[in-house]
Amino acid sequence: MKYKIMETVSSVDIDGQRYLMDSKTANYFSLDPISIYVWEMLKESNDFETIVIRVVAEYNAQKEDVIVDIQSFIHDLIENGLLKVVS
């Protein structure tokens, strides 16, 4: 599955913290280090499986845990109108 970041969304760094900002709704969301890593991969149009593989390798994490966490993060992005499924 691949995703597209909505055109109204940008990421900004403020005082060492990364935020996603939606200019359409004026909502913002803070990201933790792993979420930042996933967000950067979403910007590169990586598919879900590639993102999981890279996070498992980068953070030496259990694949099952990574799948659940990334699914939750992506679900939140979609629910808040920051991301959409394209394939």
Side-chain angles (χ1 to χ4, degrees), residues 58-72:
E58 179 72 20
Y59 292 95
N60 194 27
Q62 295 295 317
K63 185 174 183 178
E64 298 78 21
D65 295 335
V66 169
I67 289 170
V68 170
D69 291 344
I70 293 174
Q71 284 175 331
S72 176

Side-chain angles (χ1 to χ4, degrees), residues 1 4 10 14 16 19 21 26 45-46 55 58 68 71 73 78 83 86:
M1 194 170 294
K4 181 177 189 274
S10 59
I14 301 172
Y19 296 92
M21 299 183 76
S45 299
N46 284 297
V55 170
E58 179 72 20
V68 170
Q71 284 175 331
F73 177 60
I78 292 169
L83 189 71
V86 291

Side-chain angles (χ1 to χ4, degrees), residues 8-12 14 19-23 26-29 82:
T8 58
V9 179
S10 59
S11 62
V12 295
I14 301 172
Y19 296 92
L20 300 179
M21 299 183 76
D22 186 346
S23 62
N27 290 332
Y28 67 93
F29 307 87
L82 306 176

Side-chain angles (χ1 to χ4, degrees), residues 9-59:
V9 179
S10 59
S11 62
V12 295
D13 293 321
I14 301 172
D15 294 330
Q17 177 68 41
R18 173 84 53 99
Y19 296 92
L20 300 179
M21 299 183 76
D22 186 346
S23 62
K24 181 178 178 183
T25 64
N27 290 332
Y28 67 93
F29 307 87
S30 64
L31 301 178
D32 64 26
I34 296 174
S35 297
I36 293 169
Y37 188 74
V38 172
W39 180 256
E40 292 300 320
M41 286 187 283
L42 288 168
K43 287 176 22 181
E44 297 171 8
S45 299
N46 284 297
D47 62 66
F48 183 81
E49 188 60 33
T50 300
I51 293 170
V52 169
I53 290 167
R54 289 179 63 187
V55 170
V56 166
E58 179 72 20
Y59 292 95

